[in-house]
Amino acid sequence: MRKLINAFFLAAGLLFTANIANAQQKLAHLNSAQIIEAMPEVKTARTTLETVQKAKQADIEKMISEYQTKLKAAQDKEKTMSEANKEVVGKELQTMGAELQDLEKRITEARTKAQQELEAKNAELFNPIQVKADNAIKAVSKEKGYAYVFDTANQSLVYWDGGDDITDAVKAKLGIAAAPKK
């Protein structure tokens, strides 16, 4: 019976100690959007993405200009049609119509392909930035002994009272100077 009572007190003591340890877990919060926005790689990635986007847009606009020129030529050709040249002009208009449809199809395909390429380039440029920020967040969290870190940028956290904001510490880990406080 005595062993049972000792075992009970030992178990209760361990349970009490575990509860105290759990109650002392450190919590923190950060804003990952601010961290990522402050990273110099983001500016470079945006500039690169913008350059690619402008090049794709220029190619599409060139095709649209070609389409408009051919459409005007077809409309002008249609105005020259008379009873005497109806057959010849009609065949030419059919050929021009087929060319216009083909060009329309190419423009649509070019827009779709450009969108896909931009999405792929966006992922190629920004995924490494996200991974770098995530690694810095994990490193700072471990260094400072935080059990939980909440990200206020994704708005999944509705309320917090206290806790440490480690946004500046993560920025420092990434070599980003802290912004002056407002």
Side-chain angles (χ1 to χ4, degrees), residues 59-154:
D59 291 344
I60 291 170
E61 286 174 5
K62 184 178 174 184
M63 292 172 74
I64 290 171
S65 177
E66 181 184 348
Y67 177 86
Q68 290 171 339
T69 302
K70 287 186 176 193
L71 179 62
K72 175 131 178 51
Q75 290 169 341
D76 291 345
K77 183 62 114 174
E78 188 176 28
K79 291 177 185 176
T80 65
M81 189 158 48
S82 65
E83 283 299 319
N85 66 3
K86 187 175 186 179
E87 192 173 313
V88 173
V89 172
K91 286 183 181 180
E92 289 176 5
L93 285 172
Q94 280 183 328
T95 303
M96 291 173 120
E99 288 176 8
L100 285 170
Q101 284 180 336
D102 180 55
L103 192 52
E104 222 176 295
K105 182 180 175 187
R106 286 187 6 233
I107 290 170
T108 301
E109 289 171 354
R111 282 182 174 151
T112 302
K113 184 177 178 185
Q115 183 64 34
Q116 291 169 346
E117 288 176 5
L118 284 172
E119 288 172 6
K121 190 68 170 175
N122 187 52
E124 174 189 326
L125 294 170
F126 285 97
N127 284 350
I129 293 169
Q130 183 67 48
V131 168
K132 184 177 179 181
D134 288 345
N135 289 340
I137 290 167
K138 288 175 186 172
V140 168
S141 299
K142 284 183 180 182
E143 287 170 10
K144 297 199 177 266
Y146 293 111
Y148 300 98
V149 177
F150 298 96
D151 186 356
T152 59
N154 63 18

Side-chain angles (χ1 to χ4, degrees), residues 162-180:
D164 296 327
D165 184 348
I166 62 170
T167 302
D168 288 337
V170 173
K171 285 181 183 178
K173 184 74 166 180
L174 290 168
I176 300 168

